[in-house]
Amino acid sequence: MSNLKELAAAGQAVWLDFVDRKFLAEGGLRKLVAEDGLTGVTSNPSIFEKAMGHGDAYDEGFKGVLGKGDATAKFLYESQAVQDIKDAAADLRPVYDELDGKDGYVSLEVSPGNAMETAATIEEAHKLWKAVDAPNVMIKVPGTKPGAPAIRQLIEDGLNINVTLLFALDAYQTVAMAYIEGLEARAAKGEPIDRIASVASFFVSRIDSVIDKKIDERLGAGDKDADALKAVRGKVAIANAKVAYAWYQDLIAGDRWQALAAKGAKPQRLLWASTGTKDPSFPDTLYIDTLIGPDTVNTMPPKTMDAFRDHGTVAQTLTQDVEAAKTVLAEAERLGLDLQGVTTELVVDGVKLFADAFDTLIKAVGEKKTALTSELVKG
């Protein structure tokens, strides 16, 4: 059995953090579903920017829209992104049907520029949901403070939501409760809650990248706590994730969740994102090997997926050494590594990175529009 299929047997869904037109047209997604048990796909502006701005796979699609009248670069992008998401949803629909809605999802993100605007996020999420018009689409909403009330409302409205850019336990707890409150409000109106799905995307490797850089700087300066710093290097992000999962287990065991489960509600699964290893001194499958457990998702870049297929190790690691994980976090605090400050800054940086990537994407599509419009005029 494929290592990736073994992950599914261990309760963890395998999702791909990549989608583009050429990959879909060549049957790449269907191949991963058949051979590796893939059950989901995530997209983001950076992925679309590379595909739309620097290749020709989307040129015919752009021309088709331009041929019907003038269109903004953003409208061009959305028209093609929505088509890709529709195609990916169609490829994953057999998975969705076979698993009775428990998986088989493809995610499309609201504009990062709306990350700090509750009302704008709700409005755009509904627009994208309607545009894709597939039961197995998830709309990605940043887990910012203004994002939480948007998530609650969108769940009440019956949308599937992928909460993105989560780094800290308290931020995750806030959106987990927003999911529950949305389901409760929906159920109170007598509306069904058994076909609504959500994931909470917890970013992993970015935490270690920042924390480990702090550690290396202190080690280079001859810090008196050198041994203690070395002992937690490369371990903080995994410890953070394990503690979040332990909280999730307590949550779904509680009466409040069980009342919703009795009405058919699906748990909001933790999804491990940013799972490509940034530090070459660490194993390239580190953030998969160490975070395997039931009711979770790991969304992997293609390179990381290939690595795990080749030499990953499957074991129930997420619930192992939770006390040791708490010790790592306590040590990080004692050593002044400021995990809370790091995660707060990572949310800000994450929103900016996605917003910058989105701006670059729209600029690239605008340049494509100019070139293709010129072709159409000449042709």
Side-chain angles (χ1 to χ4, degrees), residues 111-149:
S111 301
N114 290 334
M116 305 308 288
E117 301 289 339
T118 302
T121 293
I122 293 170
E123 182 181 355
E124 187 178 7
H126 273 285
K127 184 182 81 169
L128 294 174
W129 175 264
K130 186 177 179 181
V132 177
D133 191 25
N136 58 327
V137 67
M138 278 189 176
I139 306 301
K140 288 175 81 171
V141 175
T144 55
K145 285 184 179 178

Side-chain angles (χ1 to χ4, degrees), residues 223-246:
D223 195 286
K224 62 181 177 62
D225 289 313
D227 289 343
L229 288 165
K230 288 176 185 175
V232 298
R233 191 181 187 280
K235 295 180 180 177
V236 174
I238 293 163
N240 193 44
K242 287 188 174 187
V243 169
Y245 185 72

Side-chain angles (χ1 to χ4, degrees), residues 241-360:
K242 287 188 174 187
V243 169
Y245 185 72
W247 184 86
Y248 160 82
Q249 288 182 303
D250 288 342
L251 177 71
I252 62 169
D255 292 343
R256 190 171 179 184
W257 173 255
Q258 288 301 315
L260 289 167
K263 296 174 183 175
K266 295 175 174 62
Q268 181 188 56
R269 291 175 294 171
L270 271 161
L271 177 151
W272 312 123
S274 184
T275 55
T277 305
K278 309 288 195 296
D279 188 330
S281 69
F282 296 148
D284 54 1
T285 59
L286 176 67
Y287 299 110
I288 306 173
D289 294 340
T290 54
L291 297 174
I292 301 169
D295 290 336
T296 58
V297 181
N298 198 308
T299 186
M300 312 173 195
K303 186 177 176 183
T304 305
M305 184 173 286
D306 291 344
F308 191 82
R309 185 190 297 109
D310 180 67
H311 53 265
T313 303
V314 179
Q316 290 289 342
T317 51
L318 193 52
T319 53
Q320 290 177 4
D321 304 320
V322 176
E323 290 306 313
K326 292 176 181 176
T327 300
V328 166
L329 296 182
E331 269 292 271
E333 183 175 355
R334 183 186 72 81
L335 292 164
L337 293 172
D338 189 22
L339 177 60
Q340 187 65 49
V342 166
T343 55
T344 299
E345 192 62 32
L346 279 169
V347 174
V348 175
D349 290 347
V351 169
K352 185 177 186 305
L353 280 170
F354 279 145
D356 288 349
F358 191 78
D359 290 344
T360 302

Side-chain angles (χ1 to χ4, degrees), residues 136-203:
N136 58 327
V137 67
M138 278 189 176
I139 306 301
K140 288 175 81 171
V141 175
T144 55
K145 285 184 179 178
I151 291 157
R152 184 218 164 280
Q153 184 61 54
L154 291 167
I155 294 297
E156 180 181 347
D157 294 343
L159 278 66
N160 303 318
I161 301 297
N162 177 340
V163 184
T164 187
L165 285 178
L166 294 172
F167 296 92
L169 177 61
D170 58 353
Y172 161 55
Q173 290 169 333
T174 297
V175 301
M177 296 314 297
Y179 178 60
I180 286 176
E181 289 165 10
L183 290 175
E184 288 173 339
R186 187 170 174 81
K189 295 190 294 188
E191 295 177 345
I193 59 173
D194 60 324
R195 303 300 287 184
I196 298 171
S198 180
V199 293
S201 296
F202 218 81
F203 283 56

